[in-house]
Amino acid sequence: MIKQAIIPLAGLGTRLLPLTSVFAKELLPMNGRPGIEYILDECIDAGIKEVIFIISKKKIMIKNYFYNDNFYKKIISKKKDLRISNEYKKILKYKKMIKFVYQNKPLGTGDAVLKTKKYIKDKYFLMLLPDDLILKENCSKSMIKVHNKFKSSVMASMNVERKTISRWGIFKIDKKIDNKNYLINDVIEKPSIKNAPSNKAVIGRYILPKKIFSKLLKQKPGRGGEIHITDAIQSLIKENNKFIAHNFSGKYLDCGSMKGYIKSSEEIAKL
Ligand code: G1P
């Protein structure tokens, strides 16, 4: 059973400047709601009971957003407003399930994951990257089904245009399991077009084994001097740990760049 999810939120959001100069990108509104709420709803609907947020001191406003229930309480006590009462209930529900840990230096996704080491209880956990919204179908839920069936690690996957390959982690396919799932035998963080083993990219949903922590403890910085989760996954694959790439069927929205954020907000409004 996958009951815990982790969400790295300590990134600086430089691709979204100037919006992120004083504001956390994950709180930016997407059709009237902060982007992070879509991610939390995906977790809740997938049966997740606890979510660990990895933030930094600079991103403390994310904690403030979920710990501001007293502010709602005061307003509700003064005037009856059904919409605000519902928002208050929603915030309380989120607050109850979120735990906060800190990554004050932006050393990469692998380093962020390591910060959650002592809180992970079960053999496997879910990780969601908040820049990647997947709507219409719950990607985490379908990945958990795949995990339960094959007892393996799972990553979300999507075919990407060859010219964008060096922006993603790219899979090498071992064999097809069925129409949506592939066994993989390698994954490379942001390869050049020439070195890319396929056009199947890692999208930000991962079901990872607890043993990834021991790999991360020894992990050397990779591309761009950062500690990448992709590199730790690659080491696990080399030691014959089973990883499945799951071609999800929901609608993918890239909210991490300015162009992507603007387009995503428009797309969500249409849904
Ligand atoms: C991260 C991962 C990359 C993955 C991507 C999906 O990259 O390192 O492997 O393909 O998310 O969005 P980032 O977006 O942080 O550069």
Side-chain angles (χ1 to χ4, degrees), residues 51-242:
V51 182
I52 303 172
F53 276 17
I54 306 136
I55 59 168
S56 66
K57 282 183 197 145
K58 283 187 189 139
K59 304 283 285 279
I60 198 71
M61 77 159 51
I62 296 178
K63 185 166 185 186
N64 295 342
Y65 179 82
F66 292 100
Y67 274 67
N68 218 3
D69 42 310
N70 274 334
F71 171 74
Y72 287 84
K73 231 158 120 183
K74 272 186 213 143
I75 295 177
I76 296 165
S77 68
K78 284 191 197 116
K79 62 170 188 178
K80 277 212 159 63
D81 184 317
L82 189 60
R83 193 187 74 84
I84 298 177
S85 309
N86 286 336
E87 290 297 329
Y88 168 63
K89 282 184 205 147
K90 195 179 70 185
I91 288 291
L92 275 185
K93 180 178 79 178
Y94 290 147
K95 182 185 170 185
K96 256 195 205 158
M97 67 186 297
I98 305 173
K99 190 176 243 156
F100 291 86
V101 301
Y102 289 82
Q103 182 200 24
N104 286 322
K105 288 187 198 140
L107 298 177
T109 316
D111 177 68
V113 175
L114 205 45
K115 304 289 180 207
T116 67
K117 182 171 176 275
K118 63 173 181 216
Y119 302 102
I120 297 297
K121 298 177 197 135
D122 301 327
K123 232 171 139 188
Y124 288 89
F125 60 96
L126 172 71
M127 173 165 80
L128 305 95
L129 302 185
D131 281 356
D132 295 339
L133 284 193
I134 303 173
L135 300 176
K136 279 185 156 171
E137 270 204 38
N138 191 323
C139 178
S140 297
K141 203 176 189 170
S142 23
M143 284 171 59
I144 290 174
K145 276 191 196 147
V146 175
H147 164 78
N148 290 340
K149 186 168 173 193
F150 297 102
K151 305 281 170 267
S152 71
S153 301
V154 186
M155 289 183 274
S157 157
M158 183 177 84
N159 291 346
V160 294
E161 279 182 63
R162 272 200 90 72
K163 63 171 192 242
T164 70
I165 264 171
S166 59
R167 185 249 171 271
W168 314 93
I170 298 288
F171 295 118
K172 185 171 178 199
I173 305 298
D174 181 14
K175 64 172 193 244
K176 186 172 170 175
I177 301 173
D178 56 38
N179 271 345
K180 289 200 169 299
N181 301 296
Y182 297 83
L183 206 59
I184 59 162
N185 54 16
D186 202 1
V187 62
I188 305 166
E189 182 64 13
K190 303 190 170 67
S192 63
I193 297 183
K194 205 174 75 199
N195 294 329
S198 76
N199 68 333
K200 291 194 181 301
V202 183
I203 300 300
R205 302 288 182 276
Y206 307 71
I207 292 177
L208 297 170
K210 201 178 178 174
K211 62 169 129 166
I212 197 141
F213 292 118
S214 56
K215 284 277 162 277
L216 287 169
L217 281 170
K218 290 181 271 172
Q219 190 72 51
K220 301 246 157 60
R223 238 179 174 280
E226 289 188 10
I227 298 180
H228 292 288
I229 195 67
T230 317
D231 295 342
I233 293 171
Q234 187 182 49
S235 318
L236 284 178
I237 295 171
K238 298 270 181 253
E239 288 171 12
N240 289 323
N241 291 283
K242 201 161 137 191

